[in-house]
């Protein structure tokens, strides 16, 4: 078991890319999803895909539960102004089987009521659209995302949702057009620039165009964790390790407590087989954000790779104790025992 070696940009896209809004919760950043796949295939390929599915599924449930409890009351838009959020919902979110489907249906009804009461609530449109997208009802999802675009012409989020939806439908020209329109309505959106840069790189194999857009995103928002990690990953996949490290080190100058940046540095050092540095940055990432279950996961994996199963076991068990709903630590511990 060693670091995964990406065979092509297509492999990188398939293994590493996940819509950031799906997993941004409880301190997990969009770059954290990279960690889930960062291991050599030691069993069947489906096992990897299963871990990704379980992680995203649990993350989604966590978001919905927090909404139900009323813990999320507002979001900050890129301009910094506060936006109205979905009101507290007095329903229990089910965990499995037919009850789970009934819970989804009830939550959808609540979202529809929210839109009826407040037609300018962008988040309600986007969340309801994501429900339809999850159910592969792409027509209704597209309609809701399109309606959300009309509420605030400077808000790039509906464009990004539409672009991801079109990519799922293999409508790549439309996906690209939505990203281009997002940048047109808000040229200062680092998120839109990074997304279009990724599109050029992973879908069209245009590294120079991708580099230009990702660099612009970082220049606009030097402290944007996602823009920095995307640019660093670009250089890493291009085997320009020095430039990748330079991007990450510059990001740490802006935000020295960004554990996602340390996590990306660990992957970079692992790629270069510099395991001493890898260990150091993984320990820093865990110290900075011990409230992130992935930090236990990745340091545990390091100890598995370095032949220290007792330390790995301790970290996986600690992760399970603190975050019992995060499945990858269970899976890694089971793998450790089975081997």
């Amino acid at each position: 078991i060693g670091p995964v070696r990406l065979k092509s940009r297509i492999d990188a896209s398939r293994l590493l890319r996940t819509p950031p809004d799906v997993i941004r919760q409880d301190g997990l950043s969009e770059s954290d999803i990279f960690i889930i796949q960062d291991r050599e295939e030691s069993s069947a390929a489906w096992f990897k895909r299963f871990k990704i599915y379980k992680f995203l599924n649990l993350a989604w449930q966590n978001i919905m539960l927090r909404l139900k409890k009323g813990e999320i009351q507002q979001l900050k838009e890129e301009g910094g102004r506060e936006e109205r959020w979905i009101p507290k919902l007095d329903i229990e979110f089910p965990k499995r089987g037919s009850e789970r489907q009934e819970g989804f249906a009830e939550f959808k009804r609540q979202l529809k009521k929210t839109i009826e009461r407040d037609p300018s609530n962008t988040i309600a449109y986007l969340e309801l659209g994501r429900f339809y997208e999850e159910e592969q009802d792409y027509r209704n999802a597209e309609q809701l995302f399109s309606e959300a675009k009309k509420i605030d012409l400077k808000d790039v989020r509906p464009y990004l949702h539409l672009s991801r939806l079109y990519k799922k439908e293999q409508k790549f020209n439309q996906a690209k057009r939505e990203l281009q329109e997002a940048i047109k309505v808000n040229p200062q959106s680092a998120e839109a620039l990074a997304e279009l840069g990724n599109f050029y790189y992973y879908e069209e194999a245009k590294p120079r165009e991708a580099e230009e857009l990702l660099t612009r995103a970082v220049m606009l928002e030097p402290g944007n964790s996602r823009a920095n990690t995307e640019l660093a990953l670009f250089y890493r996949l291009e085997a320009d390790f020095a430039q990748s490290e330079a991007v990450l080190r510059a990001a740490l100058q802006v935000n020295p407590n960004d554990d996602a940046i340390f996590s990306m540095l660990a992957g970079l050092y692992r790629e270069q087989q510099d395991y001493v540095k890898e260990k150091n940055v993984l320990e820093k990432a865990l110290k900075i954000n011990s409230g992130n279950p992935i930090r236990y996961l990745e340091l545990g994996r390091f100890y598995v790779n370095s032949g220290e199963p007792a330390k790995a076991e301790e970290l996986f068990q600690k992760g399970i104790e603190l975050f019992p709903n995060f499945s990858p630590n269970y899976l890694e511990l089971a793998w450790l025992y089975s081997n």
Side-chain angles (χ1 to χ4, degrees):
I1 47 175
V4 65
R5 307 290 297 191
L6 300 175
K7 303 300 189 299
S8 69
R9 295 190 185 95
I10 294 177
D11 289 340
S13 177
R14 184 183 302 114
L15 295 179
L16 303 181
R17 304 311 314 140
T18 300
D21 54 326
V22 174
I23 59 173
R24 187 183 292 120
Q25 46 86 34
D26 281 343
L28 302 186
S29 75
E30 46 270 62
S31 62
D32 288 327
I33 194 64
F34 304 153
I35 307 304
I36 300 299
Q37 289 293 350
D38 201 4
R39 119 174 348 270
E40 194 77 42
E41 269 187 29
S42 56
S43 58
W46 65 265
F47 187 67
K48 282 181 157 185
R49 294 193 294 271
F50 174 73
K51 288 198 290 183
I52 277 284
Y53 166 77
K54 290 290 291 182
F55 170 65
L56 295 179
N57 190 41
L58 284 167
W60 175 253
Q61 290 185 43
N62 196 328
I63 292 171
M64 294 301 100
L65 282 168
R66 289 176 65 193
L67 285 174
K68 180 261 172 184
K69 295 175 181 177
E71 292 177 3
I72 301 178
Q73 300 298 331
Q74 61 188 21
L75 286 180
K76 298 284 187 178
E77 288 189 328
E78 288 185 350
R81 69 177 179 83
E82 295 183 355
E83 181 172 356
R84 283 164 291 182
W85 184 242
I86 304 167
K88 180 179 178 180
L89 303 175
D90 296 320
I91 61 173
E92 292 294 332
F93 194 74
K95 297 182 179 179
R96 61 181 185 277
S98 60
E99 294 179 353
R100 176 181 171 84
Q101 294 305 317
E102 291 173 6
F104 271 121
E106 175 61 23
F107 206 88
K108 284 166 60 177
R109 282 193 290 270
Q110 295 283 355
L111 286 170
K112 290 177 180 178
K113 288 180 181 179
T114 300
I115 291 173
E116 290 174 3
R117 290 192 297 267
D118 184 8
S120 63
N121 191 322
T122 302
I123 299 297
Y125 281 95
L126 297 181
E127 290 299 322
L128 185 56
R130 285 173 59 184
F131 268 111
Y132 283 120
E133 184 178 351
E134 183 80 11
E135 296 173 345
Q136 298 185 346
D137 185 349
Y138 296 146
R139 178 178 296 181
N140 275 320
E142 180 181 3
Q143 181 179 351
L144 285 159
F145 294 151
S146 298
E147 287 296 320
K149 287 167 63 174
K150 301 174 185 177
I151 297 173
D152 183 354
L153 298 180
K154 294 292 185 181
D155 190 346
V156 301
R157 289 173 299 175
Y159 296 91
L160 301 184
H161 279 285
L162 275 169
S163 177
R164 294 163 192 155
L165 179 67
Y166 288 141
K167 281 199 288 186
K168 283 186 177 181
E169 298 181 275
Q170 305 292 303
K171 298 177 180 177
F172 295 108
N173 289 334
Q174 289 174 263
K176 180 179 178 180
R177 185 174 65 247
E178 291 296 330
L179 294 175
Q180 291 171 332
E181 288 183 11
I183 294 172
K184 188 179 297 184
V185 301
N186 188 353
Q188 305 303 310
S189 172
E191 192 81 7
L193 289 167
E195 194 97 3
L196 183 57
N198 284 336
F199 185 92
Y200 279 130
Y201 191 62
Y202 297 107
E203 306 299 342
E204 296 189 351
K206 295 180 178 178
R208 299 285 72 80
E209 290 87 341
E211 181 182 15
E212 178 185 353
L213 287 167
L214 291 169
T215 302
R216 280 175 57 192
V218 170
M219 291 178 66
L220 280 170
E221 295 185 25
N224 187 305
S225 182
R226 188 195 174 199
N228 280 292
T229 52
E230 296 287 6
L231 182 58
L233 181 63
F234 165 82
Y235 286 123
R236 177 178 164 185
L237 295 176
E238 290 291 296
D240 190 344
F241 298 133
Q243 189 62 29
S244 180
E245 182 173 5
V247 170
L248 295 173
R249 291 295 178 185
L252 287 175
Q253 292 295 317
V254 179
N255 185 2
N257 292 320
D258 190 338
D259 57 303
I261 298 296
F262 283 108
S263 175
M264 286 292 289
L265 272 171
L268 179 64
Y269 292 142
R270 183 163 55 251
E271 188 87 1
Q272 300 173 83
Q273 299 183 356
D274 191 338
Y275 301 121
V276 174
K277 287 185 178 180
E278 179 191 359
K279 179 183 177 182
N280 288 338
V281 293
L282 287 176
E283 289 175 341
K284 287 181 181 178
L286 178 58
K287 184 177 181 180
I288 289 171
N289 190 0
S290 59
N292 186 336
I294 289 181
R295 299 297 166 249
Y296 298 88
L297 179 73
E298 59 191 0
L299 186 55
R301 282 180 171 171
F302 171 84
Y303 284 124
V304 170
N305 293 341
S306 63
E308 300 177 80
K311 291 183 179 180
E313 179 185 16
E314 180 182 353
L315 282 159
F316 294 145
Q317 287 181 339
K318 185 66 173 178
I320 290 169
E321 176 188 341
L322 296 175
F323 310 98
N325 291 326
F326 182 72
S327 65
N329 279 316
Y330 291 94
L331 296 169
E332 290 295 332
L333 191 57
W335 184 93
L336 180 66
Y337 289 148
S338 69
N339 286 270

